[in-house]
Each structure stands twice: as structure tokens, then as C-alpha cells.
Amino acid sequence: MKLQTTCIICPRGCRLTVEDDLTVSGNSCPRGERYGRQEATDPRRSVSSTIRIDSTLVKMCPVHTSAPFPKAKIPALMEAIKPLSAKAPVHMGEAVCQNLLGTGIDLLISEDIER
Amino acid sequence: MKKTVDILIIGGGAAGLGAALGAVEAGAKEILLVDRKNRLGGILTQCVHSGFGLKVFGEELTGPEFASRLARKLAETPVEVWLNAFVLSISPAKEALISSRDGLYQVSAKTIIYATGCLERTPGMIQLPGTRPSGVLTAGLAQLYLNEYGYLPGKKAFILGSGDIGLIMARRLSLEGAKVLGVAEIMPYSNGLVRNKVQCLDDFGIPLYLSHTVSRVYGNHHLEAIDLVKVDEEGKIIQGTEEHIECDLLLLSVGLLPNVGILKNAGARIGESKGAAVDGSLMTSLPGVFSAGNSLHVHDLADEAYLEGIEAGKAAVNCLKGVPEHRTMTPLSHNENIGYLVPSYYDESYLGDLLIKFRCRRPKEKCVIMVIADGEIIKTINKISMLPSEMEIIRIPKKLLKNNLKTIEVILEDRL
């Protein structure tokens, strides 16, 4: 079925139309074409959240997925990361959890928290 | 206790970090950066979502990553950083009174860069009718509670104002298990980026009520409900359209205002952006005191606040040789289609290009921007569309600006 959607790759927000044969129109750049195809076949979103951290500076540590995550599995992802916690020092880019729900996507620390 | 520095930077957020790095790059040695928080990054550390860094690093980062990258850069410089320290006052002689962990300091600086960010508009400022129970808070405060303290401030939320922080919080609350009942926007168009409407509201089935506002807040101790109403073209409430909505959290995302308290107390003139009135080098009316980032005017992107900080840092170093004795201060003006513009003045003694930043007052299609100096058009830019939520930046090369200019005007008009 034909899909009408808005590209979320950059702030420009192009209106995309994706046909049944996955041809994309309305995009202003190749990234929009890739996004349109992805959205029609396997929609994904980058997910950011927080986990508890043992630190003298903060209670929560920001984390994010290493790649856009399958949209349908996001509620399960939020449940899966609820019990996670970290201990300072942590550094951005370190993996807290690998291969989340079998997707091959990792959960990464977003901030340097030294103590 | 006393201390002397070349450059004092107030604020360790995007603009303050930019100012420090810009000043180091321009050759300054004795720089002190002061921030009230316990770590660098300002508001970036609570903005856990991605969307930062495209302009500066060419890749999309989360707010904390953007902050940490800049903090790592800063750690390689000789800049002295005081955290958990608060600037109580500054004077036109560039003496600052600072409360720090070690006690009270009097810091004497050759130049000061003021980069204290902005404040959220409150329920009082928009004259929100009804009671003032707990559970009514600004979107950024809710973001701090949730993302840094780990508290979910409500289970059934309504959001007033479609600014990006409100939209981002709608998604964040939904992910954490709260039900977001809707977002009301008094204007007939959304104030946030289209992509934020898509991924923060549409993805979660959250309705956006355009031309709507909250006409009443109910609850004595804690918020119990609100009335949602339609407004007409002039923004006036249409009686009889009230919809009663039960909720335990009302977030306000109704605009930001530059945080200028300390600067105003020192006697700096305020411009129409509600931040300091500055010249093209970002110097305020107090010679040797600069301002950048959201304390000067509210930016769309942290990247832009950072880049403006760099400009201020370089200009401050330029000023270390001596504050210009004579500032020409040619006023910049604009027509009614422009909401505000920065800078307020052009000082010809500054050798850099003139960067003019402004917002249109209403959404515009097919329009033209003209910069006119003493009656002569020096720059024309055609635009396909413009939105008040998107800041426009025009660079006027120094060579296009003659000396002894009386006026510089920026005109925005429909294209025929």
C-alpha cells in the first residue's frame, strides 16, 4: 500500500510518498530515499533514555541505541533497560548492554561521568 | 579572596564552552570559566534525545554526547573551570563577585563573556487561569526531574505549547509509561520542527490541537483537570468550546527568555531580543563585556549557540589589547515582518564580517530579504519559505560596509 510520510532524517522534514514498488518521491536528498524505503518496510527509531547510576554527581545516566531500533520492539526495549544500572566512571560510547532483544543493536552510554 | 584573569566566562553550556574554545584558539591564556552546575554542558546534559551536533561535528549526537565532546576538547586547554560556583554580580569595571566551594571570590577580568542561557516562561507569565496546584510545571523542569533525577512527574499528562521541548517531553513521558493526552497550541501552526511532530506525537498517537489553549486549571493540592478551549483568529477564547480533561500533569512549553539578570544589574542595555543589545562583535553596551548563546537570543540549535560562543571568544581576545575607545554604534533596524534582530548595532572598528540573525514574525512563502545601508541595497536573498521557528542568519562581508554609516535596515517582503 502507498505510504505518505514525513522524513525525519534532518530538520527540513520533506513529505515523502513511497509506492508499492518502493519508489520514493518528494525527497530532497538520497538520505530521504533510504528513509522512505526503510519506513515502508521496517520502520525504526533512535531511542534515548536513562538508567540508574552509582555516582556522586547524578542519579541517572543518559543512554542511547547504537542504531535506529525496530519501532514495534521499542516498548519491549524500554522494559528491558529498566533494571539496568551503571557505576561511575562511565564514558560515552561504552556499551551497557549488547545485542538488545536479538537485534544486533547495543545500548551505549551518552555522557562522560567521572565519579 | 582575589583573582585576576584575562577572560571570565559565565556559563558552561554550549555557548560558554564555545567561548572558551574560541578564546583559546585566538591565543588567550588566562581564562576562567564558571558554572553553577556540578558538571559542564549546561542544559545539554538533560537533553538525552538526539539532534545535536550536525552543524559542528557533521553527525547526529545526543545532548550529553555533544556536551561531553566539548568538555573533552576543553580539558586539553589551559582553561580553568570552576564548577558549583555562582556569579553573584558583575560591574562595568569587569569585577565579578563569585560564590564558590572555596568561599567568596572577587575576580577582576579584562573581558567578560556572558553565556548564561535562557529561562522558560512560567504559568504566571502567560497568565494561566485557575489554581496553582503541584503538577503544573515547565517542560524543561519536567525534563530535569525525569532525565537527571529519575522521577516521573505524572501519569496522565497534557502539554500546553508545541515548542520542541514540549514535543520531546511528550515522547519521553510516553516511553516512560505515562499517557500523554494531547498538546495544545494557541497559534494555527506548530511551533516545533515537523520531524519532532512526526516522531514525538504521531508515533505515539498523541493529538495536536492547533488554535487551542488551556482556559482553566483545577485542583487544590495536586492538579486534577484542565479545560481545553478553541481560540479564534485573534487568539481569543471561543466560549462554549470547553472540553474538560482530567490529568495529573500539565507541562508548559510556551517560550524561552534570555537570562539577563546579572547583566542588567550591571547596567547593560537590553535589546529587542530580550537579551543584551550588542554590536557586531557581540559586545554589550558595557565595553569589554560580551554576550552569546541563549542569554543573547534564543537559538533553534545548540550548535548555533556554540558557534556564536566561538565568535564571542575570538572577539573578546581581540579586545584584550584594549577596549575600543570609540564605538560607532550604527543602529540596525527592520520592518514589521521581522520579529527581532541581532545585533542591535554595527561597530565599524570590528574587523570581522557582520552576522545578522533574525526571525520572521509570521510564516512566509516566497519572500525576499534585503539589507540596506544608508539607502543602498547591499545584499538581497530570495527565500522559498520562512518560519518564525527557524532563525535566519545573513553574513555581510566587511568589504560591503562603508565607514560612517548612519543606518542599516533589514527588510523582509513578499516576492511578487
Side-chain angles (χ1 to χ4, degrees), chain B residues 73-242:
Chain B
K73 268 187 163 185
L74 192 75
E76 291 166 12
T77 70
V79 173
E80 187 176 344
V81 177
W82 287 3
L83 295 171
N84 302 299
F86 193 81
V87 176
L88 298 164
S89 68
I90 57 172
S91 74
K94 295 175 288 287
E95 302 261 323
L97 197 59
I98 303 175
S99 164
S100 82
R101 282 239 160 137
D102 304 328
L104 206 56
Y105 268 91
Q106 190 166 15
V107 174
S108 179
K110 288 191 184 127
T111 62
I112 294 177
I113 303 171
Y114 188 87
T116 55
C118 57
L119 302 170
E120 298 183 277
R121 291 179 73 202
T122 62
M125 285 179 190
I126 60 160
Q127 297 172 358
L128 187 71
T131 54
R132 288 286 180 274
S134 65
V136 180
L137 57 164
T138 58
L141 186 61
Q143 189 179 47
L144 176 73
Y145 286 165
L146 183 55
N147 292 348
E148 294 207 9
Y149 302 166
Y151 303 135
L152 187 62
K155 297 258 167 62
K156 277 165 79 179
F158 195 87
I159 298 172
L160 175 58
S162 66
D164 285 311
I165 316 167
L167 300 183
I168 296 282
M169 279 311 290
R171 170 176 62 185
R172 190 73 190 100
L173 288 167
S174 302
L175 284 174
E176 290 295 343
K179 175 82 187 151
V180 180
L181 302 166
V183 177
E185 169 57 51
I186 196 164
M187 302 304 282
Y189 49 84
S190 168
N191 267 317
L193 295 169
V194 193
R195 68 164 179 175
N196 280 340
K197 184 191 168 284
V198 172
Q199 53 186 341
C200 298
L201 301 187
D202 301 353
D203 271 5
F204 297 92
I206 299 168
L208 173 62
Y209 299 94
L210 296 175
S211 299
H212 276 73
T213 191
V214 171
S215 65
R216 189 134 205 109
V217 171
Y218 298 90
N220 289 322
H221 299 292
H222 198 84
L223 176 67
E224 288 163 12
I226 56 155
D227 281 344
L228 175 70
V229 287
K230 267 189 195 156
V231 298
D232 63 17
E233 282 162 13
E234 284 157 21
K236 288 205 186 91
I237 287 170
I238 303 173
Q239 298 296 337
T241 60
E242 288 87 357

Side-chain angles (χ1 to χ4, degrees), chain B residues 239-275:
Chain B
Q239 298 296 337
T241 60
E242 288 87 357
E243 190 185 333
H244 193 69
I245 297 175
E246 285 182 9
C247 55
D248 63 1
L249 179 63
L250 174 64
L251 296 190
L252 260 55
S253 174
V254 290
L256 303 166
L257 285 172
N259 179 8
V260 287
I262 294 165
L263 203 51
K264 220 167 146 180
N265 289 346
R269 224 173 298 151
I270 300 302
E272 56 178 356
S273 72
K274 309 274 200 285

